Structures are given as structure tokens and as C-alpha cells.
Amino acid sequence: MSGLPKQGAGAGGDLGNEVEGYLLWQARVAEAERRSREFTGPLDWLTTAQREEIEQRYVADSLQRARGDLERVAARCVSLRAEYEQRYRELRRRCVGITLTVCAGCAALTALLLAL
């Protein structure tokens, strides 16, 4: 009862995930810009144009690396999901098999006891 919508619940959850992703990316952009200014700060011999170019390249490189990291994480999430779904299917198949075996055993035992 926190008042927050549950994520992953229909279209509203998808929108929430998109907004969260957008905000996280904007935070990453702001961080890259801040770090680029910190990087060029001590370089007082740079002209304004040089400083801006270095900052732009720094930001572009940082965001390209962040995008690569996010793509690797997303790919790993997809592969983990596939692995877990496969394990779940195997576990479910085993549980159904054991349940059917126990039920068949109980039925056989009942039939044997009724035959006596």
C-alpha cells in the first residue's frame, strides 16, 4: 500500500519502466558532463573551443561506453531468463512425474488392498 504502481503490471508498468530508464540515462548524461568539466578544469591553457571539443568528446565516449555496458547487461538478462525458464520447465516436468508416480503407486496399493 505504498501508493506506487506495481512495475511490470500491464501497460502502466511498461510506461513506468520507460520513464525510469529515461531518467537513469539522463542522470548518466549529467554525470558524464560533470566529469568532463572536472577533467578539463585543471587544463587552464586550453582555449574555450578546445575545452568544449574535449568535453564533447569525453561525454560522447562516456555515453558510448555506458551504452555498451547496458547492452551487455541486457543481453545477459535475456540469457539468464532463458536459462531460468528452461530450469523451471525441467523442475515442473519432474514434479509432475513424481506426483503421477506417487498417485499411481497409491492407486495400485489401494487396488491391491481391496483385492485382499
Side-chain angles (χ1 to χ4, degrees):
M1 297 213 173
S2 64
L4 296 174
K6 292 184 179 179
Q7 298 215 358
D14 293 340
L15 178 61
N17 289 337
E18 287 184 33
V19 169
E20 181 182 15
Y22 174 80
L23 293 174
L24 288 172
W25 185 252
Q26 291 305 311
R28 180 68 69 147
V29 170
E31 178 187 356
E33 290 171 347
R34 180 188 54 79
R35 293 185 70 198
S36 72
R37 286 188 299 275
E38 289 175 359
F39 179 76
T40 59
L43 306 175
D44 55 354
W45 47 269
L46 291 173
T47 65
T48 303
Q50 290 171 331
R51 182 178 309 278
E52 288 174 359
E53 182 178 351
I54 290 172
E55 287 177 1
Q56 288 173 357
R57 288 179 186 236
Y58 189 101
V59 168
D61 182 63
S62 294
L63 295 179
Q64 182 180 7
R65 289 172 187 259
R67 183 177 186 87
D69 292 343
L70 289 173
E71 288 173 352
R72 283 189 294 279
V73 167
R76 181 64 180 145
C77 287
V78 169
S79 70
L80 282 175
R81 181 181 181 101
E83 287 178 35
Y84 285 131
E85 287 175 349
Q86 177 62 30
R87 288 182 184 179
Y88 176 75
R89 282 191 295 272
E90 290 174 8
L91 180 61
R92 186 174 53 191
R93 191 172 26 250
R94 268 190 269 160
C95 287
V96 168
I98 290 170
T99 302
L100 290 176
T101 301
V102 168
C103 288
C106 288
L109 183 61
T110 302
L112 181 63
L113 290 175
L114 289 176
L116 293 176

